[in-house]
Amino acid sequence: MFRAIVVDEGVPAEIREVDDDFLKPGDVTIDVEYSSINYKDGLALAGNRGVVRTFPIIPGIDLVGTVTASDSPRFSPGDRVVLNGDGIGERLFGGLAERARVRSDALVLLPEGLSAQRAAAIGTAGFTAMIGVLAIERAGIRSSAGDVLVTGAAGGVGSVAIALLAARGYAVTASSGRADVEGDYLHRLGASAIIDRAELAEPGKPLQSQRWAAAIDSVGSTTLANVLAQTNYGGLVVSCGLAQGADLPTTVMPFVLRAVTLTGANSVDAPLALREEAWAALAQALDGELLDSMTTTVSLAEALEAGPGILAGKVRGRTVVDVRR
Ligand code: NDP
């Protein structure tokens, strides 16, 4: 028997004692050590049908742990592994449990030197931020090109994006609704300037003064439209979230007059090669102590309370779940 958070239709999320028969089919079984709480986990813990595709479900879109059994030639018992997305915590059972059985297609070996707890602190949020940073680099936008904007700055994706960009020498401007209380935190992560997110929240002109060489946006809606309108000629905007809304009330002007590129980041279906590239880069690029400073660790029972907190926009940085606690 092992403990798992289970969400059933119409029933609040709860901790249950279950056995291996409860798990879904998969070719790798893992003793989970850590999971984390992303915005999507907050929705799953609340039983949101947009995220949870099948009931009952074990939520948790991230897991880090040790392989105990494997039918995959890529993995052996004792391997330390990390999994983000690929349907876990949505239509497949996820990481908020002491054990998981998963398909190995998207499973990545934990990079040498990276602890399980720090890998969970990175989690889907950090993995997504890294996909965004890689996209900026692939577009050839160097630190000399100008300021890079990060929206949703004090959240999970935003916090890791700031740290990664600053470590690569970019001048980062953080857009946050919590600049008053989280200003020091954002500067410690590496932001050189902070703006109030209210500046970007209301509908604006299709083209505005050029301010950003690139941007990583986890907010969407009118914020993303304003970011596009303020992006420099030839700049790149990475859309990875919808904290303000899924709409995008923009015009073609940033594209046809400023040759701005809008691209997306998707962690759930990322191919294995991108996962391995991003995790290798994350292990190398992220300062462990800086990562610790943006991380709060909670027990499995406390994870139940962390869900509403992230939905209310009250969580700072990353929340790791020590599932064995
Ligand atoms: P968090 O809740 O940790 O961060 C979101 C941040 O957005 C908040 O901390 C807040 O930052 C800001 N925010 C919240 N509400 C609003 C609002 N109404 N208007 C403007 N800003 C707002 O979530 P995550 O970092 O885990 O995820 C961020 C977004 O990215 C989510 O929409 C999530 O679904 C998406 N996502 C997408 C992934 C992908 O694969 N594409 C992967 C991971 C996440 P502040 O207080 O600083 O303003």
Side-chain angles (χ1 to χ4, degrees):
M1 301 294 283
F2 61 91
R3 293 182 313 147
I5 291 182
V6 178
V7 180
D8 220 333
E9 198 161 15
V11 182
E14 59 181 1
I15 295 181
R16 284 193 205 161
E17 291 271 340
V18 295
D19 60 18
D20 282 359
D21 290 343
F22 185 71
L23 294 175
K24 303 240 185 202
D27 56 349
V28 175
T29 307
I30 297 162
D31 271 350
V32 181
E33 290 161 42
Y34 296 98
S35 184
S36 85
I37 301 292
N38 299 274
Y39 192 83
K40 204 183 252 179
D41 299 312
L43 292 171
L45 285 163
N48 182 294
R49 287 187 143 277
V51 173
V52 180
R53 304 301 168 87
T54 172
F55 290 100
I57 191 143
I58 297 175
I61 62 172
D62 292 323
L63 66 81
V64 187
T66 304
V67 172
T68 55
S70 172
D71 293 328
S72 160
R74 287 178 55 229
F75 297 97
S76 309
D79 284 347
R80 321 287 315 277
V81 289
V82 54
L83 180 58
N84 314 107
D86 197 40
I88 66 166
E90 298 185 70
R91 56 192 166 75
L92 304 169
F93 285 3
L96 288 169
E98 291 168 316
R99 193 166 305 156
R101 196 186 293 130
V102 300
R103 56 179 196 181
S104 61
D105 308 44
L107 201 59
V108 172
L109 280 173
L110 207 57
E112 201 64 31
L114 184 64
S115 74
Q117 189 162 9
R118 283 181 175 163
I122 293 169
T124 286
F127 173 49
T128 306
M130 191 76 229
I131 293 174
V133 172
L134 291 172
I136 291 170
E137 290 179 342
R138 282 195 182 110
I141 297 168
R142 314 242 176 276
S143 55
S144 56
D147 293 353
V148 177
L149 177 69
V150 173
T151 62
V157 175
S159 293
V160 184
I162 293 169
L164 287 171
L165 288 163
R168 282 161 142 75
Y170 290 97
V172 184
T173 297
S175 167
S176 176
R178 293 179 273 173
D180 48 347
V181 284
E182 300 297 1
D184 288 348
Y185 166 76
L186 296 168
H187 281 304
R188 272 200 312 278
L189 294 183
S192 47
I194 301 173
I195 59 172
D196 190 322
R197 79 182 191 202
E199 273 185 45
L200 298 169
E202 300 302 324
K205 290 185 182 159
L207 286 178
Q208 302 168 29
S209 299
Q210 299 180 50
R211 297 176 76 180
W212 321 116
I216 295 183
D217 174 65
S218 50
V219 171
S221 193
T222 42
T223 296
L224 177 54
N226 284 318
V227 172
L228 289 165
Q230 295 175 4
T231 297
N232 299 351
Y233 181 91
L236 178 83
V237 177
V238 185
S239 164
C240 52
L242 45 103
Q244 184 184 2
D247 58 323
L248 177 55
T250 186
T251 72
V252 298
M253 294 308 189
F255 312 112
V256 300
L257 292 183
R258 292 210 180 132
V260 167
T261 299
L262 174 61
T263 190
N266 177 317
S267 58
V268 177
D269 304 307
L272 185 61
L274 178 58
R275 290 172 186 272
E276 290 177 337
E277 179 187 8
W279 273 100
L282 283 160
Q284 215 186 20
L286 258 185
D287 179 313
E289 283 175 18
L290 197 60
L291 184 62
D292 296 344
S293 76
M294 67 172 92
T295 305
T296 308
T297 301
V298 301
S299 66
L300 198 60
E302 289 164 338
L304 293 170
E305 293 149 31
I310 200 163
L311 295 184
K314 288 188 183 146
V315 171
R316 176 175 103 173
R318 297 281 299 136
T319 304
V320 165
V321 183
D322 180 347
V323 301
R324 298 174 299 186
R325 235 175 71 199

